[in-house]
Amino acid sequence: MKRMRTFLKYAIWLILFFIFSEFIINVGLNSSYKNIKRKDETTQVQMEVAQATLVNGRMRGTITNTSDDYLTGKYVRIDFYSKRDILVGTKYIPITTTQATTTQEFSAYFELNEVTSYNVSIVDHKDTEEIKLIPEEWTKSEIIVATIFTLLIFW
């Protein structure tokens, strides 16, 4: 019985350490993101989140398709600039809304160095080569599975 109590204590300590480390990691990662400035006046695209670290960033927003300006089949072009206004990358997001007064939500994760501002415009077709995006942030279950496989490799 004493041995079971010892194993239970170890299990509780392990669970508490896991919860503590998850909290510290999430707080540390989210505190390294800083807001980046927008340089345009495009009213059809509203940005909810536009943040970057020194090496990557994330954006989330909505595209409004009004009855006056039908945007289906066009692209939202996002140009990323450094602090000296040097273009460091471009990303195109296709507009897929089919009805006149609907909105489309989008999110983009990118790997670019020292992005401090961005410019949004709506274009008919892709003009330049775009940056390669990070597919998306991992979910908690994907992180747990990857951690288990990593532990199995090193065990």
Side-chain angles (χ1 to χ4, degrees):
M1 191 65 174
K2 189 174 184 179
R3 178 171 260 179
M4 289 301 288
R5 206 174 292 154
T6 304
F7 284 136
L8 181 62
K9 287 180 187 176
Y10 289 149
I12 290 173
W13 279 108
L14 185 67
I15 292 170
L16 288 175
F17 178 73
F18 176 76
I19 292 170
F20 175 73
S21 64
E22 277 291 316
F23 175 74
I24 294 299
I25 289 169
N26 285 332
V27 167
L29 286 177
N30 287 328
S31 68
S32 65
Y33 280 96
K34 305 293 182 217
N35 291 332
I36 55 179
K37 294 183 293 185
R38 185 170 178 171
K39 297 168 61 171
D40 66 282
E41 299 295 327
T42 306
T43 59
Q44 291 93 353
V45 181
Q46 287 82 28
M47 290 291 181
E48 298 168 16
V49 174
Q51 299 175 329
T53 64
L54 288 178
V55 293
N56 58 19
R58 59 186 174 193
M59 301 184 94
R60 189 173 53 243
T62 57
I63 303 166
T64 305
N65 198 3
T66 61
S67 60
D68 298 337
D69 191 11
Y70 195 62
L71 301 175
T72 301
K74 296 183 180 182
Y75 294 92
V76 173
R77 177 181 171 158
I78 305 173
D79 295 323
F80 299 100
Y81 296 95
S82 69
K83 63 183 171 184
R84 292 183 178 87
D85 280 337
I86 298 171
L87 179 65
V88 292
T90 300
K91 173 62 186 152
Y92 292 95
I93 298 172
I95 301 174
T96 59
T97 58
T98 57
Q99 298 188 1
T101 57
T102 58
T103 60
Q104 171 186 340
E105 294 184 4
F106 69 92
S107 62
Y109 301 93
F110 56 90
E111 286 184 355
L112 293 172
N113 292 331
E114 299 181 10
V115 173
T116 58
S117 61
Y118 65 97
N119 187 18
V120 176
S121 59
I122 297 174
V123 295
D124 292 329
H125 57 280
K126 295 181 181 181
D127 295 333
T128 60
E129 189 168 328
E130 64 181 319
I131 60 173
K132 182 179 175 184
L133 285 183
I134 303 170
E136 60 186 39
E137 290 184 347
W138 283 15
T139 62
K140 293 219 184 268
S141 60
E142 291 172 335
I143 292 172
I144 291 171
V145 169
T147 304
I148 290 171
F149 280 129
T150 306
L151 289 175
L152 288 175
I153 290 171
F154 289 116
W155 189 7

